[in-house]
Amino acid sequence: MANVSVAAEWQLLYNRYYRKPELYPMRWKHVDLARHKVAGAPFGGPVAVIRDDSKIVQLHAESALRKLRLFNSAGHPLADAVWRHPGGRLIGMSWNDDLTLVCVVQDGTIYRYDLHAQLVEPNISMGKECFEQNVADCAFWGNGVVCITEQNQLFCIPDFRNPKPVPLADPMIDEPPRCIAVIEPQYTMSGNVEVLLGVADDPVVLVVEEDGVQRLGEGLLRGPLQKMVVSRDGKWLASFTHDGRLLVTTSDLTGIIIERECEADENLRLIKPSLPEAVEACVDASGHEFDVSRQRTLLRAASYGQAFCSNFQRDRIQEMCKILRVLNAVRNPEIGIPLSIQQYKLLSPSVLIGRLINAHRHLLALRISEYLGMNQEVVIMHWACSKITASLSIPDATLLDILLDKLKLCKGISYAAVAAHADKNGRRKLAAMLVDHEPRSSKQVVPLLLSIGEEDTALMKATESGDIDLVYLVLFHIWQKRQSLEFFGTIQARPLARDLFITYARCYKHEYLKDFFLSTGQLQDVAFLLWKESWEFVKNPMASKGSPLHGPRIKLIEKAQSLFAETKEHVFESKAAEEHAKLLRIQHELEVTTKQAIFVDSSISDTIRTCIVLGNHRAAMRVKTEFKVSEKRWYWLKVFALATIKDWVALEKFSKEKRPPIGYRPFVEACIEADEKAEAIKYIPKLADPRERAESYARIGLVKEAADAASQAKDGELLGRLKLTFAQNAAASSIFDTLRDRLSFPDVKVPFACLMSSE
Amino acid sequence: MAQIPNLDNAPINLISIREQSQKELINILKNIRGKKCLVIDPKLGDSLSLIIQTSLLKEHGVELRHLSADHIQTDCTKVVYLVRSQPNLMRHICSNIHHDESKGLQREYHVYFVPRRTVVCEKVLEEEKLHNMVTIGEYPLYIVPMDEDVLSFELDLAYKECQVDGDTSSLWHIAKAIHKLEFSFGVIPNLRAKGKASVRVADILNRMQAEEPVNSSDMVMPEINTLILLDREVDMVTPLCSQLTYEGLLDEFLNIKNGSIELDASIMGLQQEGEKTKVPLNSTDKLFKEIRDLNFEVVVQILRQKATSMKQDYTEMTTTSQSVSELKDFVKKLNSLPEITRHINLAQHLTTFTSKPSFLGQLDMEHTIVESQSYDICFDYIEELIHKQEPLTTVLRLLILFSVTNSGLPKKHFDYLRRELLHSYGFEHITTLNNLEKAGLFKKQESRSNWLTIKRALQLVVEDTDTANPNDISYVFSGYAPLSIRLIQHAIRSGWRPVEEILKLLPGPHLETKRGAFSNSPSFDSLSGVSTGIAKVPDGRRALVLVVFVGGVTFAEISALRFLCSQEGMAYDLIIATTKIVNGQTLVETFMEKLG
């Protein structure tokens, strides 16, 4: 291509050169832009076109129904939809950041469309005021919109992801503004949107925010503005003045950037560029070029020049080739995304891929992500979901194979997410089949299974995972969804779930737990619950001891007893409950007769002890008989009780009643513990075992008697132990040594009896 | 607080784990601006005292409170609850907030769950209609380093929850904790497990590795070579025997809580009458490190020697003229005087317990039960304890030991002792008995016990144990070698295969497997099979084995493991992890539950 023609395309504007190449001859037919409302998406995105109903137009050979039509940048039709929305005229439409087409109609309703001209539910309303006052105009930005009503009130939706209309401050103007522009929230100081209004006959710009209105540009502007545009980064404002000047100011209207002509720095162009710079320039230029053959020419030149530069980064050219391949692929009229290189860099490859898959260009997206070494998961995932949506007539098993074939290309892809989509499309069985292939986290799979109603599988997977939290998740879900009996049946078959339910219910759902046990026939567990409840009467402040409230308490225990009796395995518990009820009755009586509230809720043994301590031997005897307390236990209890009240006479009498069934050890122990040596000496000789005798003497410090008994026992270990007991007493120590020598026992080591000497 | 142990000598970088936990907690506090009242559940508070100093919390504008049913008294408008994710703790939080509401107090509530938020806790908040009032967060504290070779998951109820309630949350927690360690130290290539819970932990751990793999490519060599998991259920004999090591005895009588004990100041020779003092017990104390694992008998002798030699030196110092270097040595020795005094005081105090006839009688009985020779003597002894209404935990401890070694009691005896227990201690203890039965700890005999076979095959009872110069782990119980540690000894030395027949006699399955990228690598075979080859890590350190006790471990067992480590020819360093450090009493207490 001749150099002259290339250079001739460039025009100087201020201090830069610009050109305006034609990217595509538009392929569309019968689109007269003058009779249409048009919205073009940034970054080489699609174009939306609809007949402008505010203009009177002559209909040629076309339907009277209006159609919303979507094209790619080359005018290649993408999709269309008949426009039959109520709500009055279409006021404005625009593409937002995620390529949703947003359309505002007169009554403040906002309709949204996706790339395929499908209506995105739900519709959004700008609110009651807009409905009543009618929307007169609107201005969009990346993710929001501002509407002005016919009464000059402003409302905005700051973020379509959370579409709540917010009223802005009243600009207090009578006439509609001449022009309107917005500064996006992300570029304002306050973080809220700022609306710029150019008003009639006033040389200022009104800045309207949620909480106030400011006047800007006073003294800077010489008259009202006709048209305003804010730069993408929100820093600059370009405007047309009433007198036909083009003005570029800062967006806060504090300084004028351009109003006059500047001299181009011709000298700069005269500096002869060095070779590396030239190569660099060629590479750069190729990037900005849309024409493929020119790209080639430039790159070839760069490659040639590069050979003569030693320090030029060689991969620069490779990199550029890579980028251009991607750009050329998407610029293809079939795809129709005429991205410039800056736009591509701003947009980033991953967003581009996102746009391609959104447009259902999966193959290209896959190739590009492969070519750029990116993760293909996004593409395959989207493909799989689209495939499911589009394959309503393909049977589950066949579709599963088709999907698996591609899904396996990508290691670690979430089958769960695909399954979720299948479920959303009403293909529950397919979803379940897909989940089965999910090797990953049960944390993702389980909630999904719940959402598709596969509760039993969810419970199984949760149990397998060992994550109790997941099991609870499923448990509560089923609990809420099913009838009690059905729920009980489900968990009864699953031990872990059942145990967890019981643990939780024990704390928080006592009555419900009873129902569960009754329904599953676990009567003994009901019995335990009732028995436990019987203590609630004790905790209840109203239930003071000895009051008639013991009635219901005992009844509960008796009910527990009869439930225990239902099963052979719980005879013991049944008997225990019976005894407990009986004990409470007796204790209640005792409290009445003794007028002392000290019996209820003590054990049988304690009750006997208390009776003896109080001197009520008849009552003690009665308790003994009622509960068939063994003679053994009886002796220990009575001996210790008598020692407690130091009734040594009664103790001696008791010892002589009959030969004690467990000998005299209880008597000795009780006396020694009470530190009554004289009393102990009465019983020690009666101990049958000489070893016990020796130890007992030793405990009350009678060395000689201990030694005598020990020599009878002929126990070397015992001697050693006794010697250590008397370690501080040299005389005693020698007695044991002599004894041991006489009996010829070796020196036996006794652990732990050795005392630390306190030196 | 001197309680935070020094971890400089740990075989893996435990400091980084602790610092991470500190940082995470500080970040939580930083993110809630201004003054705030931090309400901690008391047990968690104890664990946290091993992680972070209270002063550091206060620097971040924190007023500290313990969680209880009582309402919070504070001027702060922000209340931050830091609680373990246990549903019963939610009760207190709910009643706190309801109280504030009733008083018209407007506060901002944050609830941070340890180690993570759970559906069941949030459910409680939801049922109380409070879930919209609280901001929920997580504090992922899974592991607390107790000492340079001991980690705790701080799950004190794990064993009871698994065995009685069927709630296996703790197993997931353990797997998660190990998995977290693997993110720092690499996938552990060899795994050995014995017991139902342990095998399940191994299974969950492998699932986690599949779902969220530790990237093994950037880890040249895993720092931990082998993971051994052991259920407490496999050996319920050992924790019920009275520990006879110094640290073990301190725990038995004075209850070591999170690496320190609290006792009367007078015992430690301090002036403040009637006041309590806290004594930290960890490897930072050099003398303690030297004697903690020894049989107490020996400790007494060592302390006596030290004291005597100190006294001698002092006498020489005052009576003869000394060279400067001799003086220096003496002053150096003097520096250790506070430590010597501390432990002499403690040991002295311990002997007041160890010399009691009741303790000696109990020891005697434990040995008789473990020997498993005289059933009737044991039965009578326990019966008498009940009749005398000795403390219930003491009774149950022996009773469980008796039942476990006999694999239950004949029905007649079982029912009789249960009845005597209820009669003596009250019918409310039926729940405790029920719990013990469910856990298989005190039950009706259904099959013959194989304890004798196990005892003999593994040489658990060792005659003539020399406690002063031990050559076997049996020294920790003066003649009984803990079953758990015997098994681990085998697992380390030669894997499960040679002891497979015995393993089958013990509860639960066993497992031996290779994991991660190394499952096919022959160079990592060293631990398996008959080969006793040593897997040396490149820098010449010994390879590391992580021993995890699912359900708790006692100090005596830890001592026995340290003893194994110190043996010549031992190819491995050991690091021990446990759900909680336990002893017979604390373990039995977790099963005790009154009806009323």
Side-chain angles (χ1 to χ4, degrees), chain B residues 312-464:
Chain B
Q312 232 162 34
D313 286 351
Y314 179 75
T315 324
E316 276 170 30
M317 198 58 58
T318 47
T319 53
T320 57
S321 56
Q322 304 282 317
S323 73
V324 176
S325 72
E326 279 169 324
L327 275 172
K328 258 189 184 165
D329 284 348
F330 179 69
V331 172
K332 224 177 183 175
K333 267 192 177 175
L334 270 186
N335 286 335
S336 65
L337 196 59
E339 289 185 350
I340 297 180
T341 317
R342 179 187 310 152
H343 291 291
I344 285 182
N345 283 328
L346 283 177
Q348 174 91 44
H349 186 54
L350 275 188
T351 50
T352 62
F353 298 100
T354 56
S355 59
K356 272 191 190 148
S358 60
F359 176 67
L360 295 171
Q362 188 186 327
L363 268 192
D364 201 31
M365 193 44 57
E366 285 170 8
H367 275 234
T368 314
I369 296 175
V370 169
E371 285 276 9
S372 202
Q373 303 277 351
S374 337
Y375 179 91
D376 291 340
I377 292 180
C378 303
F379 180 86
D380 291 346
Y381 186 87
I382 293 168
E383 182 196 22
E384 190 179 302
L385 288 183
I386 299 171
H387 288 165
K388 285 155 81 175
Q389 291 177 293
E390 295 288 347
L392 185 57
T393 36
T394 315
V395 178
L396 290 179
R397 200 172 158 166
L398 270 184
L399 187 57
I400 296 168
L401 186 63
F402 189 43
S403 173
V404 167
T405 49
N406 284 292
S407 110
L409 301 187
K411 178 148 193 332
K412 209 179 113 194
H413 284 170
F414 177 55
D415 282 349
Y416 170 71
L417 288 181
R418 281 200 293 171
R419 178 175 175 270
E420 294 299 297
L421 281 168
L422 294 181
H423 277 203
S424 299
Y425 300 93
F427 288 100
E428 61 271 32
H429 291 288
I430 186 88
T431 331
T432 305
L433 295 179
N434 199 25
N435 286 349
L436 292 173
E437 194 178 351
K438 270 193 197 161
L441 295 176
F442 176 40
K443 57 169 192 180
K444 193 170 70 184
Q445 197 174 47
E446 269 152 354
S447 59
R448 265 197 62 223
S449 161
N450 39 36
W451 171 248
L452 273 177
T453 322
I454 295 163
K455 188 188 81 173
R456 226 172 278 137
L458 291 174
Q459 290 169 297
L460 298 185
V461 175
V462 181
E463 304 291 336
D464 308 321

Side-chain angles (χ1 to χ4, degrees), chain B residues 295-322:
Chain B
N295 192 296
F296 182 54
E297 221 181 315
V298 181
V299 170
V300 170
Q301 287 159 20
I302 289 179
L303 289 176
R304 187 179 291 155
Q305 273 162 21
K306 287 205 189 267
T308 316
S309 114
M310 186 70 87
K311 193 175 173 185
Q312 232 162 34
D313 286 351
Y314 179 75
T315 324
E316 276 170 30
M317 198 58 58
T318 47
T319 53
T320 57
S321 56
Q322 304 282 317

Side-chain angles (χ1 to χ4, degrees), chain A residues 143 206 292 329-330 402 411 436 448 454 556 569 585 613 663:
Chain A
N143 225 349
L206 295 181
V292 178
V330 299
I402 296 173
K411 214 179 149 225
D436 250 6
L448 174 72
E454 294 279 331
L556 268 182
E569 290 81 26
R585 277 211 185 83
V613 166

Side-chain angles (χ1 to χ4, degrees), chain A residues 467 469 507 627 633 665, chain B residues 87 91 116 119 384 419-420:
Chain A
D467 186 345
D469 195 40
C507 251
F627 295 99
R633 177 140 55 93
R665 205 151 46 81
Chain B
R91 268 227 167 110
R116 57 167 184 162
V119 173
E384 190 179 302
R419 178 175 175 270
E420 294 299 297

